[in-house]
Amino acid sequence: MATVASQPCAGGSRDILWRVLGWRTVASVVWSVVLLPVCTTVFIIFSSIDLFHPIQWLSDSLNDLYSSRVIFYLLLLSVVIIIISIFNVEFYTVVPSIPCSRLALIGKIVHPQQLLHSFVHAAMGMMVAWCAAVMAKGRYSFLVVPCTRTESLDGPAAQTCLNEYHLFFLLAGAFMGYSYSLLYFINNMNYLPFPIIQQYKFLRFRRSLLLLVQHSCMESLFLIRNFCIVYYFLGHVPKAWISTAMDLQIDEQFHRPLDTVSGLLNLSLLYHVWLCGVFLLTTWYISWILFKIYATEAHLFPVQPPFAEESDECLPKVLNSSPPLIIKYLALQDLMLLSQYSPSRRQEVFSLSQPGGHPHNWTAISRECLNLLNDMTQKLVLHQEAAATNGRVMSSSYTMEPKKANSPEETTFLTPKSSQMPRPSMPPLIKTSLFSSKLSAPGVASPLGSPFGSSVMNRMAGIFDVNTCYGSPQGSQLIRRGPRLWTSASDQQMNELSNLPSTLSAEGKTVRQPSVIYSWIHNKYEQIKNFLSKRVLIMYFFSKHPEASIQAVFSDAQMHIWALEGLSHLVAASFTEDRFGVVQTTLPAILNTLLTLQEAVDKYFKLPHASSKPPRISGTLVDTSYKTLRFAFRASLKTAIYRITTTFGEHLKVVVT
């Protein structure tokens, strides 16, 4: 039954993905192919450069452009661009994959799908290099050439030799294609960063064009350097294999071998190979950038569909369903833009259904936003617990009750008694809040307790109660520290129980000690772990990088940022635009969730290895904004809280009490 029921959902997800992303993909591929003749023209002009005869140089280049040979290679290169674009579409992601250790990075590279990606790109790179070598003409055009040495005075011998210059071109193209694929996954180039400022597609492409050309020139230079080093040590292997397989001679008398220092110092060869690399990288980067620009363009989801057949694409339904992740991101991006710049669409969010008079749109949108924020809170708490126990496995101190399947009418946020809110137990690290829970009703359960109370209300209204924060016994207990900064109560209990000969259960019954075999295996495991931890090479691959681990926690924080901005802007706009008061009934739950999340974020940034300042990122072609998402999330959270409190002001005490 589950399989049968999931098939329509999967079909619906594919349909909406094709309707939203299909035309964007086709448009990006078409523009990549349209720009290919421009790149080919520039390559032909620079490959036959002759500064001493400029008129003849330009006329010969233009004549080559209209030849049937170049037109055929343009068609072949168009096929290569289409294949590269298909791989861009198949391997894109909106959540970057951040390996936390060097071993995880190696596992990411040698994954079967990544190996297929690398193999295809190496083959496509060799094909581009072949087309570039033929269009460059001269001695780079053919793999097999007649030998130049003579065996008699009558004429040259009827033998064929291997053209090592052409072989060098082909192997350099394969090496560049493989290196492009390798850097594609190492630098997370398949990650789609959404622009903060919405611009026209042409302006975004024009801004990236100069940076693209500079990056291609520099990267081609470094790739040629690496390839020359590889060819110097291993170049004789493919040369001997091809000459033996094709029964070709190697003419070393008139052509210096390229796997030597003097052979690799051929400036003409290095220039043409570098130009081939620039041509390859530029065309592939253009295809990659165009796909990113089209895929991350804002999409408008209707809040209330005009026809019943289009209800699957309305914003509340897309947010509360399980569409492809890029559709979820586009929906949250549309919610953020809607909440800031579209008063008419905000009225649709605040409207009531007819008949019935229920705020279904606001209920669905606010529920999904709060669920996302609660999920982020739970993830931060779990990582705090892991840091508090120094990597040891915790007992089930943080449990979640399974959600009950309620109808949409039952799971609403119309009252502070939010029955669908998760009910986890309080972990040892999350201390009892500084604030009393007078705001919440007895039936309300917050994911981490309730830091939201009367003192918070007073502070947000401009009245700060010092006695409530510092004078209560609860506050004095919170100020006291344990043995170390993030030591939880379970750590102290484990240390105390480890010295006892036997462990006592909660009922006071004595639990038997583990068996001898279990103790022996456990001791051997600890000995092996201690032995390996002292080996530098082992720790080099297995040690986790703290910064990468922190980045992985906030890898999907972009949709939480949009949820924060969209929800806070809608709440702030409801102060003057909500005629029915549908937002005021959910305001306590929203503020409770935001302040609970703020408490978890503040504690997370106090953990060891958690930097409090964002690193300085220079402008490069490869986007690295995902490394600073945690700082953007923290700033958005504070801004959202201040936006709501400054809008409501003194009225906030009346609304939430």
Side-chain angles (χ1 to χ4, degrees), residues 276-292:
C276 172
V278 173
F279 174 67
L280 181 148
L281 294 174
T282 301
T283 53
W284 289 9
Y285 279 138
I286 286 177
S287 174
W288 168 66
I289 284 181
L290 286 174
F291 173 71
K292 288 205 307 180

Side-chain angles (χ1 to χ4, degrees), residues 385-631:
E385 282 297 311
T389 56
N390 294 330
R392 293 192 296 272
V393 179
M394 285 289 296
S395 59
S396 58
S397 62
Y398 187 79
T399 57
M400 288 288 297
E401 294 182 1
K403 297 181 180 180
K404 299 180 181 180
N406 299 329
S407 61
E409 290 77 7
E410 295 174 355
T411 57
T412 61
F413 283 86
L414 295 180
T415 62
K417 298 182 179 182
S418 307
S419 60
Q420 84 287 352
M421 299 283 281
R423 298 173 177 267
S425 61
M426 181 69 66
L429 181 63
I430 299 300
K431 307 175 181 67
T432 308
S433 175
L434 290 169
F435 313 108
S436 59
S437 58
K438 295 179 181 179
L439 170 70
S440 304
V444 179
S446 173
L448 299 173
S450 177
F452 190 87
S454 59
S455 60
V456 181
M457 286 293 96
N458 295 334
R459 181 162 46 172
M460 288 187 292
I463 303 172
F464 187 79
D465 190 359
V466 181
N467 296 329
T468 306
C469 294
Y470 298 99
S472 63
Q474 184 181 2
S476 62
Q477 292 177 4
L478 282 175
I479 296 175
R480 290 197 298 267
R481 298 288 184 180
R484 59 179 185 272
L485 181 60
W486 293 107
T487 302
S488 60
S490 59
D491 286 338
Q492 301 174 5
Q493 294 174 2
M494 292 174 63
N495 293 333
E496 293 174 0
L497 293 178
S498 61
N499 299 325
L500 297 179
S502 61
T503 304
L504 299 179
S505 65
E507 292 81 4
K509 298 180 180 179
T510 303
V511 180
R512 289 181 301 177
Q513 294 182 356
S515 61
V516 178
I517 299 178
Y518 176 82
S519 301
W520 182 82
I521 295 176
H522 181 72
N523 293 333
K524 289 298 181 182
Y525 170 76
E526 292 294 334
Q527 292 176 4
I528 294 174
K529 186 172 68 173
N530 294 332
F531 174 78
L532 294 178
S533 63
K534 297 178 182 178
R535 298 300 179 267
V536 178
L537 184 62
I538 299 296
M539 294 306 299
Y540 178 80
F541 289 101
F542 283 87
S543 60
K544 291 187 177 182
H545 196 277
E547 181 66 21
S549 302
I550 296 174
Q551 293 172 9
V553 176
F554 292 90
S555 60
D556 61 342
Q558 183 61 66
M559 62 177 179
H560 299 89
I561 293 174
W562 285 333
L564 279 170
E565 294 183 356
L567 191 62
S568 61
H569 277 288
L570 285 176
V571 172
S574 69
F575 187 75
T576 56
E577 299 178 8
D578 185 10
R579 297 175 297 174
F580 305 104
V582 297
V583 177
Q584 295 181 8
T585 56
T586 64
L587 190 54
I590 294 173
L591 290 174
N592 187 24
T593 301
L594 293 181
L595 290 175
T596 304
L597 180 58
Q598 179 66 48
E599 184 180 5
V601 169
D602 289 342
K603 290 183 178 180
Y604 188 86
F605 273 86
K606 293 178 183 178
L607 289 174
H609 308 296
S611 176
S612 59
K613 295 182 180 180
R616 182 177 299 176
I617 298 178
S618 58
T620 57
L621 183 66
V622 180
D623 187 88
T624 56
S625 59
Y626 62 89
K627 296 181 179 180
T628 59
L629 275 178
R630 62 184 185 273
F631 302 102

